[in-house]
Every structure is written in C-alpha cells, then in structure tokens.
Amino acid sequence: MMSGGYTSIDNQKVSGSVPAVSDPGHVTVKFADSSLQTFPPTGAQGKISSGAQPPRDADDTFSRPAGGSDEPQGSGWFRTFTVGAYKPYFDVDTSDVLDRLKESLFPFRGTFTEKTATNPDLYGPFWICTTLIFVAASIGTFVTYIAHKLKKKEWDYDINLVTWSAGVFYGYVTVVPLALYVVLKYFSAPSGLVQLFCLYGYSLFVFIPALCLSVVPLEIFRWVIAGVAGFMSATFVALNLRAHIKSAGERWFLIVASIFLLQLALAVK
C-alpha cells in the first residue's frame, strides 16, 4: 500500500510536471509592468527637468546674480582678483559675437552701446586683439619679404613684429578705455568700464580685413585701405559715445573729437 501510494503520488507528480516542459519552444517570458521605465523620466526627478529643455550647466553662475552664487565671493577690490568676477563678461555665444562684429562694420548706426548695455562682453575684444596681433605680424613679415625679394636684397625675419603688435593692440584697447573712463568720470558723465572695453575691442575688428588687403604691393592702395579702416573705426567709437558724452557739458565736442582723432591715429600708425 505504502509503496503503491508512493508510486501513485510519484506518478501524479510526474504526470503533472511533464506538460510544463514538454515544448520549451513555446515558453513565453513576461516582465512585470512595474519593472519597465522610460528615460528620461516624465516627471522632474533630481536635476533632470521635464519637457524638451536642454540640461543646464552644473555651474550656473552665469545665469544668476553674483549675490546668489554658492561660492564664497570676496568683497571690494578682492573680488576683482577672482575668476567669478569675470564670468558674466564671457557669457556670450557665437550669434552674439557675430551680431556685434556686423554692427561694428556699420559705424553710422551708433546703436552698439544700446544693444550691449545689459551684456557687454570681453570675449570678442580679447580674440579680436589676439587675431590682430598675429595677422599684423604675419602680413607685415610677408610684405617686407616681398619688398626685399623685388629689390633682390637679403631678408631676415624680425621677431619683434609680434611683440610690437601685442604691445600696440593690447595696450591700446586697455589704456585708452581706462583713460576715457577717468575723463568721463571727471566731467560727471561716467560710463561703465567694461562697456568701454567692449566698444573699443569691437572697433578694431575692421582692421583685420584691412590688414589682409594690405598685401597688395601698391603703396597708395595700402594708404587708402588704412584710411578707410581708420575712419570707420573712429566713427564707430565717436558716434556710439556722442550721445552719452553730451551730458558732460559744453566740452563734449572736444572729447568726441579727441576720441575720433586718437582712433584715426591708430590706423595711420
């Protein structure tokens, strides 16, 4: 009996388990719905926000006021020597820089200061001056090389052209706005220092194509190109500052004329 009972139980177990494995090819695997997830999540989780907006940078100092920064900031003159103090002045993209470059090529509009009043940048002026340094040095070297070859004279490369160009352009775009800032403050018509750096930096952009055209071996053509570029640059600066400097009183015309002539002298030099 017991053996027969065990036999019947075993038979039942075997007969009940055989259909489950009789056809392994038809076994389907199902996953529970709770284990399926979509990426990115539809709801706001952590630092990922909902919608189709691109992720923000980890460091969003550019998009918030300086007072809202999580990093400790110095006060007074000490903050001038921190990187965070200059971050907002490099918060521009390619379209912003291109628009400002185009604006500098139309000097008679006089709307550059209005368009950059809320967001003056130092990125464009820095790269304009840096490009001018290498263009001026390379073009100057090429022109002297051609002149010596035409006269069948021995030619030597002058490395001082690079240092001379760096001193002229970096020095001009730094010292002149600083001096003008002091003068305007003296006449009770103060202007933002960064705004002046931005204006003078973009005013030099016209000299880049002018230098490229100066490779033409005609002296009169070079003087014409230099004169046109200088006039455009000087007009760009003078007209953009005229409306602001008018508040300085009766001497505003002398200040604007001095700005114009100084910018024109840079082209002649």
Side-chain angles (χ1 to χ4, degrees):
M1 294 290 296
M2 294 181 63
S3 61
Y6 283 119
T7 303
S8 62
I9 293 173
D10 293 337
N11 292 334
Q12 291 177 2
K13 290 181 179 181
V14 171
S15 62
S17 60
V18 169
V21 296
S22 59
D23 189 8
H26 292 81
V27 176
T28 59
V29 180
K30 295 183 178 180
F31 295 93
D33 293 340
S34 60
S35 64
L36 296 178
Q37 295 182 356
T38 58
F39 185 83
T42 55
Q45 299 179 3
K47 293 186 178 180
I48 302 178
S49 58
S50 61
Q53 298 179 355
R56 300 182 61 177
D57 294 336
D59 185 6
D60 58 351
T61 307
F62 287 175
S63 58
R64 354 176 249 213
S69 177
D70 296 335
E71 299 178 358
Q73 298 288 342
S75 58
W77 286 99
F78 292 100
R79 190 174 183 276
T80 308
F81 300 99
T82 62
V83 177
Y86 301 95
K87 281 185 177 181
Y89 305 124
F90 291 85
D91 185 20
V92 289
D93 54 22
T94 304
S95 61
D96 294 330
V97 175
L98 289 178
D99 289 341
R100 297 177 183 189
L101 292 177
K102 294 177 183 177
E103 188 75 17
S104 68
L105 296 178
F106 297 92
F108 295 101
R109 292 178 178 177
T111 58
F112 182 85
T113 53
E114 297 178 4
K115 294 180 178 180
T116 60
T118 58
N119 187 27
D121 72 286
L122 299 177
Y123 181 87
F126 171 77
W127 283 111
I128 289 172
C129 291
T130 304
T131 304
L132 270 174
I133 291 169
F134 288 100
V135 170
S138 59
I139 295 297
T141 301
F142 180 75
V143 169
T144 55
Y145 173 79
I146 295 298
H148 281 72
K149 287 299 180 181
L150 291 177
K151 296 179 181 179
K152 297 181 179 180
K153 294 182 179 180
E154 186 178 355
W155 176 81
D156 294 322
Y157 175 71
D158 187 7
I159 191 61
N160 292 326
L161 286 175
V162 177
T163 56
W164 181 85
S165 300
V168 169
F169 294 114
Y170 280 145
Y172 183 85
V173 83
T174 303
V175 175
V176 174
L178 277 173
L180 183 60
Y181 173 79
V182 174
V183 170
L184 294 179
K185 199 168 186 178
Y186 175 79
F187 285 102
S188 301
S191 178
L193 181 58
V194 177
Q195 182 74 15
L196 293 176
F197 283 142
C198 181
L199 176 64
Y200 271 87
Y202 280 99
S203 70
L204 300 181
F205 173 71
V206 69
F207 291 110
I208 296 178
L211 284 171
C212 295
L213 292 175
S214 64
V215 297
V216 178
L218 292 176
E219 194 68 21
I220 185 63
F221 179 79
R222 294 173 183 171
W223 280 104
V224 170
I225 292 298
V228 172
F231 177 80
M232 292 177 61
S233 179
T235 303
F236 173 74
V237 175
L239 290 183
N240 277 281
L241 290 176
R242 181 184 61 178
H244 178 76
I245 297 176
K246 279 185 176 180
S247 61
E250 298 178 355
R251 298 182 179 180
W252 72 269
F253 181 78
L254 294 177
I255 300 176
V256 174
S258 300
I259 293 172
F260 182 87
L261 294 176
L262 185 61
Q263 193 81 1
L264 192 61
L266 177 66
V268 176
K269 188 175 182 179

